[in-house]
Amino acid sequence: MGHYDMFVTDVLVIGAGLAGERAAIESARNGLNVTLLSLVPPRRSHSSAAQGGMQASLGNTAMGKGDNPDVHFMDTVKGSDWGCEQDVARLFADTAPIVMREMAHWGVPWNRVSLEKRIYDGKEIHEDPDKVGLISARNFGGTAKWRTCYTSDGTGHTVLYTMDSIVQKYGITVHDRVEALSLIHDGETCYGAIVRDLRNGELRVYTAKSTVIATGGYGRLYGASTNAVINEGTGMSIAYETGVVPLGNMEAVQFHPTGIVPSWILITEGARGDGGYLLDKNGYRFMPDYEPNKKELASRDVVSRRMIQHIRAGYGVDSPYGQHLWLDIRHLGAKHINTNLREIATICREFNGIDPVHELIPVRPTQHYSMGGIRTNIDGQAYGLKNLYALGEAACWDLHGFNRLGGNSLAETVVAGKIVGEKIAEFTKDVTLNVSTSLVEDHLLMQQKRIENLRAKKGTENVYELRNRMETALNTNVHVFRTQEHLQAAVDELRELHKRSKYIQLRGDGNGADPELAFALRLPGMIRLALTIATGALARTESRGSHFREDYPKRDDENWLKRTLAYWREGASEPELQYEPVKITESQPGDRGYGEATAGAKSGVKQ
Amino acid sequence: MARELTFRIMRYNPETPDVKPHLQDFKLKEEPGMTLFVVLNKIREEQDSSLRFDFVCRASICGSCGMLVNGRPTLACRTLTKDLSEVTTLLPLPVFKLLGDLSVDTGTWFREMSIRTESWVHDDSEFDPTAEEERMDNEKALQIYEGERCIECGCCIGGCATANIRPDFIGAAGINRIARFMVDPRDKRTEQEYFEVVGSEDGVFGCIGLMACDDNCPVGVPLRGQIAYVRRKMASAGWKMKVKS
Ligand SMILES: Cc1cc2nc3c(=O)[nH]c(=O)nc-3n(C[C@H](O)[C@H](O)[C@H](O)COP(=O)(O)OP(=O)(O)OC[C@H]3O[C@@H](n4cnc5c(N)ncnc54)[C@H](O)[C@@H]3O)c2cc1C
Ligand code: SF4
Ligand code: SF4
Ligand code: FES
């Protein structure tokens, strides 16, 4: 069997971003022993990169006046194109204000309401003097009120740092630079994970009463993504590979309207929220023609489609990296840009040599968020395996349905972290850990075999070439606009790549902490996720939220008001799709009030 | 004509300690808009699959990719090759434990520093979920944010003379961390309590004030001002303690 380190814990949280850390804190507060795992030091998790902010209906600002959880609930349900679980959305909207205040109590330096003069859309904003000093909010897409709490443009950074400071305060064990490779399970219950130490390549065993997957999204399946390079969906794939845990709505992929060309770094929605415009090659502001009410701030799927539509109509700006449009924030002025939008200014200057105070920013819709993930119930319990939980972007809880509103994801991580964390703590207290050593050794051996096989160099395929082909298949065929023909092409290609991924040949020796070996271990799972996205999208013959079929441009509630569940059965070579109804409690499917269904006015724009 | 660039990279693999650290040259063609993120990934994918380095956000937000570029500590992801000459030397940041090639263990260093300085808001009051949040002046919030902007990249530590000779020195990042909590009205620690954490040669009094840290901070944390602020506070706290005893 060889030597390996073994760790025993009450709660094993795989992933130390906001979701994982918040859930870990809740368990620790309840006296449980918790271990957090992360590929990187927790503070480098992707959550730190979120700049814009997080939604909670505090209603402290003049433009947020009258806001409450009911309004937040409705925005979220509409935003999801009625694809979400409404009981989850209700719980979320009701809890969000409490967690924002809790984060303030823990140390987040939220921007506060002040009487400083502000101009928005040509109008002067007058704050209520009674509200000065309370948590402020900014405008984000798809919301009826200004509701997005923020810290200048470092929201994710400050909230994650504060969260991690509480993790330190509670003395929670953190193991960084490790990667969970598989779950230990017997088809019914989960007992922990097989983990690889990325410092030296050794395998470790973690057994736990409850195992929690909080590994974030899979943005890097698409090469052109705003996501961090560690967002490779491995948490989703290890759950998927059990054969019994389904992934929900994997075809629901969000594209952000403003990835900067060509590095695909995100220009936060805060730029449009604070009053930035989109311009075409003629310097013309086109969004009001398509979306007269919400203009640049219709929900992300709508703005992304309008942009591509406008580019297709011949108004894109040519560049060596393909056509793009412009984002204009010049009119906000140097002071505003250099303080409230400082990170944007820095990105423009450092990565593109552009000064956004005087120049336009080249942007194009870019993969951004995964609405789909490990399907859980409202308590965060994964379908299919006992003692397994999931939350955050890795999960399909399902708050976002087919389109997530900006600011709702960071809020979800912390709200779900609190709610699901409580459930985990409650549940774990009554569990006794009873895992057979032979089960553990079987799972360990399986991973050892994979590593040995790769090191034996019996294959033919180059791991980076396969990755590039996977990225291209998704980027060209499973994007903002989708058709039967393109989706079929993606499915065919990805099936082929999946076969080829069994024959990876390392170029290096694969010893110890070799990075090529680490990637070779991930890639087959990544291709499975990619194939699942494409297969789900091909099957769904309607348009809903971010999933837009040009050959089926209407939402079809009669046939498709349901969630895709994908299973990867043991030994299978493609996903098995099933469906379940979405939960409707308060709001019957209707018109979103923006987007294709309503926008008739297209003055001045030739289609 | 695209330039041919040479990258002279330090190689060291702790699994083969017999092979001493050495420099290895890699050559590649420059492309428009190329950064060291692009360069290092290209080298790994096309020339040497064993090369180790760290990137996460590739957008100068997460602080993973600090290294010495021609001797100067900076973030590799935001370094454009157009600003470099034809030969560039890349070395790992000093002070931190070397994990291999350009990868160093800044995470462990920062975690230990945070725990040593108890970098969390000290407040015994229970959170009340039914109450309105405690108010704060927006200027105060922005002031806290200024110190909070540190991304733990380690550039200030790697270029600091004191940190290079004194292994327990908390460095500019550590002093800044203290300043961040000192200005925060929610943190109820007294000056004396802070003094115990940073009023020593491993804390603020070890700093010799040449301000290499301030020049090197890639996100522009106002380290000069933060160090002066903590030094002033701690000098007065030390004075008060002396008078009392
Ligand atoms: C550029 C950008 C800006 C954004 N801005 C906003 C915004 O303004 N507002 C908003 O609401 N949302 C925003 N989002 C979305 C939001 O940031 C994410 O959805 C959210 O942070 C996800 O948090 P998480 O805790 O689920 O995962 P993450 O923060 O991604 O953390 C995942 C953790 O899992 C670990 N991990 C992964 N795989 C493994 C493994 N196999 N083994 C061990 N550990 C593993 C990682 O190391 C990491 O610690 C933004 C996203 C992007 C890309
Ligand atoms: S000023 Fe102090 S902290 Fe900064 S580099 Fe010099 S010795 Fe180090
Ligand atoms: S203070 Fe600046 S240089 Fe030092 S670790 Fe923080 S961000 Fe990096
Ligand atoms: S990779 Fe995040 S700062 Fe460079």
Side-chain angles (χ1 to χ4, degrees):
Chain A
M1 196 73 256
H3 169 79
Y4 60 88
D5 285 328
M6 168 128 180
F7 301 85
V8 182
T9 181
D10 291 332
V11 181
L12 176 68
V13 183
I14 306 171
L18 274 175
E21 289 210 322
R22 184 63 187 81
I25 289 168
E26 207 55 41
S27 296
R29 286 215 286 207
N30 281 279
L32 294 163
N33 187 329
V34 188
T35 304
L36 266 169
L37 307 182
S38 175
L39 298 170
V40 294
R43 293 179 178 202
R44 313 229 192 275
S45 298
H46 185 65
S47 292
S48 73
Q51 300 165 341
M54 47 213 283
Q55 289 201 42
S57 59
L58 292 162
N60 291 331
T61 63
M63 301 295 282
K65 210 169 169 180
D67 199 11
N68 62 46
D70 295 339
V71 186
H72 190 183
F73 168 84
M74 256 335 288
D75 283 345
T76 302
V77 174
K78 267 189 210 165
S80 81
D81 223 349
W82 282 269
C84 72
E85 291 285 88
Q86 292 189 7
D87 54 352
V88 169
R90 170 51 71 183
L91 188 61
F92 164 76
D94 288 349
T95 316
I98 299 169
V99 303
M100 291 322 137
R101 293 186 176 121
E102 186 178 52
M103 291 314 298
H105 183 76
W106 284 352
V108 171
W110 294 119
N111 282 40
R112 303 294 178 136
V113 176
S114 81
L115 293 177
E116 199 191 327
K117 204 171 123 186
R118 273 199 301 172
I119 309 276
Y120 181 79
D121 225 4
K123 289 185 291 258
E124 221 172 278
I125 300 175
H126 297 279
E127 298 294 350
D128 178 352
D130 283 350
K131 302 278 186 187
V132 167
L134 296 176
I135 298 170
S136 187
R138 61 161 53 130
N139 199 6
F140 249 49
T143 68
K145 304 277 179 188
W146 289 26
R147 167 186 315 129
T148 305
C149 310
Y150 64 104
T151 52
S152 299
D153 50 12
T155 310
H157 173 90
T158 57
V159 179
L160 184 63
Y161 272 49
T162 297
M163 193 71 86
D164 191 53
S165 78
I166 304 297
V167 165
Q168 293 176 357
K169 179 180 158 190
Y170 279 101
I172 294 171
T173 307
V174 176
H175 292 173
D176 71 357
R177 290 187 183 258
V178 297
E179 174 169 354
L181 290 186
S182 69
L183 295 176
I184 302 167
H185 71 99
D186 56 12
E188 280 173 18
T189 308
C190 180
Y191 300 101
I194 305 293
V195 172
R196 185 159 174 269
D197 182 338
L198 298 174
R199 286 185 171 83
N200 59 22
E202 305 277 325
L203 292 181
R204 302 180 182 174
V205 170
Y206 288 76
T207 56
K209 293 177 180 173
S210 300
T211 303
V212 185
I213 299 183
T215 47
Y218 57 60
R220 285 286 149 178
L221 301 178
Y222 284 78
S225 166
T226 62
N227 283 204
V229 298
I230 56 167
N231 288 13
E232 301 184 314
T234 49
M236 293 182 201
S237 38
I238 64 177
Y240 201 30
E241 268 145 46
T242 62
V244 290
V245 177
L247 302 181
N249 281 349
M250 290 299 278
E251 65 271 32
V253 184
Q254 180 164 80
F255 298 86
H256 197 289
T258 55
I260 197 167
V261 181
S263 61
W264 313 116
I265 295 170
L266 176 79
I267 300 298
T268 166
E269 191 159 320
R272 281 169 295 132
D274 285 7
Y277 304 143
L278 290 167
L279 304 180
D280 65 15
K281 70 172 183 192
N282 303 320
Y284 177 71
R285 184 182 175 197
F286 57 91
M287 276 309 293
D289 293 343
Y290 293 107
E291 301 295 331
N293 296 327
K294 306 267 350 176
K295 305 180 184 91
E296 276 81 0
L297 287 169
S299 83
R300 286 180 182 169
D301 58 314
V302 174
V303 179
S304 293
R305 273 197 300 280
R306 295 308 195 187
M307 289 170 72
I308 301 283
Q309 190 181 348
H310 202 62
I311 289 176
R312 282 183 176 179
Y315 296 96
V317 184
D318 285 324
S319 89
Y321 308 99
Q323 295 201 326
H324 63 76
L325 294 158
W326 299 114
L327 176 66
D328 185 4
I329 58 172
R330 295 172 300 183
H331 52 282
L332 301 180
K335 178 163 185 274
H336 185 98
I337 293 172
N338 292 327
T339 52
N340 289 349
L341 299 172
R342 176 161 55 186
E343 298 298 332
I344 295 178
T346 310
I347 290 166
C348 291
R349 287 182 192 128
E350 287 177 0
F351 293 89
N352 283 52
I354 291 170
D355 182 357
V357 175
H358 306 292
E359 290 168 273
L360 299 173
I361 310 166
V363 292
R364 190 162 73 213
T366 305
Q367 191 288 339
H368 182 59
Y369 185 80
S370 39
M371 270 77 72
I374 299 165
R375 177 72 184 124
T376 72
N377 67 14
I378 191 169
D379 293 339
Q381 281 174 317
Y383 284 20
L385 267 190
K386 280 194 273 241
N387 302 13
L388 180 67
Y389 287 80
L391 77 165
E393 193 171 339
C396 177
W397 188 26
D398 172 359
L399 173 64
H400 308 300
F402 274 78
N403 172 60
R404 158 182 79 98
L405 296 184
N408 254 0
S409 161
L410 279 189
E412 177 195 9
T413 61
V414 185
V415 173
K418 179 181 157 60
I419 295 172
V420 172
E422 279 165 10
K423 296 286 175 192
I424 294 168
E426 209 175 284
F427 171 84
T428 310
K429 280 181 190 164
D430 298 329
V431 177
T432 44
L433 185 62
N434 202 349
V435 48
S436 89
T437 36
S438 66
L439 183 73
V440 170
E441 301 216 326
D442 284 352
H443 281 267
L444 189 67
L445 208 62
M446 218 144 50
Q447 296 308 318
Q448 267 172 356
K449 277 254 161 61
R450 288 181 69 204
I451 294 171
E452 275 161 26
N453 284 343
L454 282 165
R455 285 209 190 118
K457 295 216 194 196
K458 286 186 283 208
T460 48
E461 301 289 347
N462 175 326
V463 68
Y464 297 114
E465 193 207 320
L466 295 185
R467 183 199 63 194
N468 292 343
R469 296 193 72 127
M470 170 189 73
E471 290 176 1
T472 310
L474 291 179
N475 274 330
T476 47
N477 296 317
V478 199
H479 218 261
V480 172
F481 287 109
R482 301 169 172 189
T483 62
Q484 150 103 25
E485 187 195 348
H486 278 97
L487 292 170
Q488 188 63 55
V491 168
D492 294 345
E493 166 85 355
L494 289 163
R495 266 190 202 145
E496 182 65 26
L497 292 175
H498 184 246
K499 274 190 218 136
R500 290 172 61 183
S501 72
K502 295 191 182 107
Y503 306 99
I504 290 171
Q505 154 96 62
L506 297 184
R507 270 175 299 171
D509 59 15
N511 273 333
D514 181 55
E516 187 191 19
L517 173 73
F519 192 64
L521 289 168
R522 276 171 221 149
L523 188 69
M526 291 170 71
I527 296 177
R528 264 169 234 157
L529 297 184
L531 179 53
T532 306
I533 293 168
T535 308
L538 179 61
R540 188 172 281 272
T541 50
E542 66 153 356
S543 292
R544 185 181 300 272
S546 68
H547 171 72
F548 193 89
R549 289 283 301 257
E550 287 183 273
D551 37 4
Y552 299 91
K554 290 254 170 311
R555 195 177 78 203
D556 176 1
D557 289 332
E558 208 166 299
N559 296 302
W560 287 105
L561 189 58
K562 55 190 183 188
R563 179 173 305 108
T564 310
L565 296 180
Y567 290 85
W568 196 283
R569 303 292 184 197
E570 220 184 309
S573 54
E574 52 195 276
E576 175 187 315
L577 301 184
Q578 296 181 9
Y579 295 91
E580 68 171 2
V582 301
K583 191 165 286 158
I584 292 174
T585 53
E586 299 176 49
S587 165
Q588 287 302 322
D591 176 10
R592 289 211 272 178
Y594 50 78
E596 289 75 5
T598 359
K602 283 170 189 159
S603 52
V605 178
K606 276 188 237 93
Q607 290 304 305
Chain B
M1 260 289 279
R3 295 192 296 171
E4 185 176 68
L5 303 176
T6 300
F7 293 91
R8 195 152 285 168
I9 299 178
M10 194 186 94
R11 302 305 306 273
Y12 176 68
N13 181 349
E15 281 134 31
T16 51
D18 309 346
V19 186
K20 293 280 169 262
H22 61 283
L23 293 172
Q24 184 179 355
D25 280 0
F26 294 96
K27 291 184 192 309
L28 46 76
K29 284 249 174 312
E30 187 171 30
E31 290 167 5
M34 200 175 217
T35 61
L36 287 182
F37 169 72
V38 177
V39 167
L40 289 169
N41 278 294
K42 259 186 171 312
I43 293 176
R44 177 147 90 194
E45 289 174 22
E46 292 163 14
Q47 302 186 35
D48 186 335
S49 62
S50 69
L51 187 64
R52 293 202 217 169
F53 48 78
D54 295 311
F55 291 98
V56 175
C57 70
R58 58 81 176 87
S60 67
I61 296 172
C62 74
S64 301
C65 64
M67 59 181 72
L68 297 179
V69 179
N70 292 326
R72 188 168 181 267
T74 190
L75 298 178
C77 67
R78 66 153 201 184
T79 302
L80 291 158
T81 55
K82 76 172 173 48
D83 300 328
L84 300 171
S85 52
E86 259 138 57
V87 181
T88 303
T89 311
L90 302 179
L91 303 175
L93 280 183
V95 181
F96 303 99
K97 183 171 177 227
L98 182 58
L99 296 174
D101 302 336
L102 299 171
S103 169
V104 294
D105 196 349
T106 43
T108 301
W109 192 96
F110 275 95
R111 206 149 193 92
E112 280 168 6
M113 181 275 281
S114 284
I115 290 171
R116 231 168 83 203
T117 54
E118 300 190 10
S119 290
W120 50 85
V121 164
H122 286 55
D123 174 11
D124 294 333
S125 70
E126 269 291 307
F127 168 68
D128 177 358
T130 60
E132 192 176 81
E133 63 271 22
E134 210 172 295
R135 291 177 193 241
M136 184 186 276
D137 188 51
N138 194 44
E139 288 301 318
K140 180 58 84 184
L142 292 175
Q143 196 190 346
I144 298 169
Y145 179 62
E146 241 356 75
E148 180 107 5
R149 286 172 50 237
C150 166
I151 56 174
E152 304 196 340
C153 65
C155 289
C156 60
I157 316 285
C160 165
T162 310
N164 271 285
I165 51 171
R166 196 188 277 280
D168 290 330
F169 180 50
I170 64 168
I175 299 169
N176 170 66
R177 184 60 45 81
I178 290 292
R180 178 254 174 266
F181 285 97
M182 270 182 177
V183 299
D184 193 330
R186 293 167 294 195
D187 194 320
K188 301 294 188 287
R189 275 180 281 185
T190 63
E191 268 186 11
Q192 267 62 37
E193 283 170 290
Y194 279 120
F195 190 85
E196 277 167 26
V197 188
V198 282
S200 70
E201 292 288 300
D202 285 334
V204 71
F205 299 129
C207 163
I208 52 173
L210 295 178
M211 291 304 155
C213 51
D214 196 281
D215 296 340
N216 286 332
C217 178
V219 293
V221 175
L223 292 173
R224 182 185 294 268
Q226 300 285 74
I227 292 174
Y229 172 78
V230 174
R231 189 187 273 279
R232 227 169 28 240
K233 281 248 185 190
M234 288 302 92
S236 94
W239 176 246
K240 280 183 217 151
M241 278 158 85
K242 238 197 223 138
V243 171
K244 254 192 241 154
S245 58

